[in-house]
Amino acid sequence: MLVRQFVDGQEIDQVLLIRARELRCKRDGEEYLKVSLGDRTGSVPANVWEGVADLAKVCEPGKP
């Protein structure tokens, strides 16, 4: 399935390209990861709330 075919709230199980990532802080001071995921047809925003420290090390733009 291509990104342009996704609908709001849909669950997916596929590999997407990390286009951008940003480590941010919530109001309570905990960190979360804001990422942009995509394929050749578009991109979608996503937030990572758990396991942020481990995933921030491997979520690099340009990698699947």
Side-chain angles (χ1 to χ4, degrees):
M1 177 176 273
L2 301 172
V3 168
R4 71 173 178 219
Q5 297 170 320
F6 291 175
V7 293
D8 193 30
Q10 178 178 359
E11 291 187 27
I12 61 167
D13 183 13
Q14 67 186 67
V15 177
L16 296 170
L17 182 71
I18 299 170
R19 293 198 170 179
R21 70 139 193 233
E22 185 178 347
L23 194 58
R24 292 187 164 190
C25 286
K26 297 188 282 185
R27 290 182 189 154
D28 65 4
E30 285 190 51
E31 293 182 327
Y32 72 97
L33 198 58
K34 182 177 180 176
V35 295
S36 175
L37 304 171
D39 63 12
R40 68 183 186 277
T41 66
S43 62
V44 293
N47 293 324
V48 178
W49 305 106
E50 298 174 3
V52 173
D54 293 331
L55 290 175
K57 296 174 188 174
V58 296
C59 287
E60 295 183 28
K63 292 193 173 186

